[in-house]
Amino acid sequence: MNNLAQSSPGRANPVRLGILLSGRGSNFLAIAESIRTGRLANVEISVVISNVADAPGLAAAQQMCLPTTALVSKGRKREEHDADVVAALHAHRVDLVCLAGYMRLLSPAFIAAFPNRILNIHPSLLPAFPGLDAQEQAFNYGVKVAGCTVHFVDTELDHGAIILQRAIPVLDEDDAHSLAARILHEEHIAYTEAIARVASGQYEIRGRQFVKTGNDGTRERGS
Ligand code: GRF
């Protein structure tokens, strides 16, 4: 099954997001703001889960009175911890999982529990610079164009089908820090846009291609 519309035909209820984060949570906050202002329609945050108890993003979610769960991963086997996270996501009837600075690799069982229902944002133009410190990797390499990628999560690191990318030029006056800040600004736009596309259900995944379709499931002209 490819998309959310097919899993819930004629969906009237909002798409329920489960946000997973480990740190400051600026992408989570951008998503929450997009929902609040109506840029992301028919979407709601059902739960925010962190594997780090004192993650600032989790505290922010609590302040916003969103349901939150801390499931500390340190010292636990990946499969056991992931099983708890999946159970929490199911308990909150999550449709779509959004990794927002979640610094954990997901086990195959986790990915299988939400097939094509897990999104990640990565601060590079994949497949360049997967892994940690992507912005610094890109800056040190000397690229002239940098950016971010929102993609589905599969069993390989920063690898699944790409939903969208946003690119920016690297400026002569940039350092790794300023570049990362400008990429982060693009991330906040990109994640909302990607969630809107996926939540619309108007897409197909053909091989690695994320293809927008019309209401009737046909491929859009020019897309
Ligand atoms: C972002 O740069 C994101 O692309 C990467 O982790 C960082 C998380 O930042 N996966 P934040 O916690 O959303 O502010």
Side-chain angles (χ1 to χ4, degrees):
M1 191 179 296
N2 250 349
N3 69 39
L4 285 170
Q6 286 164 336
S7 60
S8 302
R11 170 186 288 283
N13 299 326
V15 172
R16 297 171 65 83
L17 303 185
I19 307 273
L20 267 54
L21 55 79
S22 305
R24 71 187 160 187
S26 72
N27 277 286
F28 148 62
L29 289 171
I31 294 165
E33 181 65 4
S34 292
I35 292 172
R36 191 186 70 78
T37 57
R39 275 197 303 277
L40 255 184
N42 209 30
V43 169
E44 65 187 21
I45 295 174
S46 301
V47 65
V48 178
I49 299 175
S50 181
N51 65 319
V52 177
D54 61 356
L58 193 65
Q62 284 158 356
Q63 276 187 355
M64 295 164 74
C65 297
L66 287 168
T68 60
T69 306
L71 292 167
V72 175
S73 56
K74 202 170 179 188
R76 296 196 64 201
K77 285 193 178 145
R78 185 178 312 284
E79 287 69 23
E80 290 173 12
H81 177 258
D82 277 5
D84 288 350
V85 176
V86 168
L89 292 167
H90 282 149
H92 288 274
R93 293 183 290 116
V94 163
D95 299 308
L96 187 63
V97 180
C98 297
L99 307 186
Y102 188 63
M103 305 306 282
R104 294 273 294 173
L105 289 175
L106 304 191
S107 59
F110 189 150
I111 293 165
F114 288 89
N116 289 332
R117 300 282 185 284
I118 309 174
L119 309 188
N120 182 44
I121 186 152
H122 184 74
S124 78
L125 295 173
L126 290 171
F129 313 119
L132 292 175
D133 301 323
Q135 309 94 323
E136 201 175 345
Q137 289 186 55
F139 181 78
N140 291 342
Y141 196 87
V143 298
K144 297 299 182 197
V145 178
C148 62
T149 304
V150 185
H151 64 93
F152 287 104
V153 172
D154 66 11
T155 51
E156 289 177 54
L157 178 68
D158 298 328
H159 176 267
I162 291 172
I163 299 161
L164 67 85
Q165 297 183 300
R166 287 181 68 89
I168 54 169
V170 179
L171 307 175
D172 288 346
E173 53 270 32
D174 265 329
D175 56 22
H177 183 77
S178 66
L179 180 62
R182 290 195 300 112
I183 292 172
L184 189 63
H185 179 75
E186 301 303 317
E187 291 184 40
H188 296 163
I189 300 167
Y191 222 157
T192 286
E193 217 172 291
I195 292 168
R197 286 188 192 179
V198 172
S200 77
Q202 292 178 26
Y203 66 92
E204 282 181 14
I205 305 169
R206 301 181 190 153
R208 287 194 53 87
Q209 309 296 321
F210 178 90
V211 181
K212 282 192 265 179
T213 58
N215 279 326
D216 55 358
T218 55
R219 190 172 186 149
E220 273 189 351
R221 282 161 76 94
S223 66

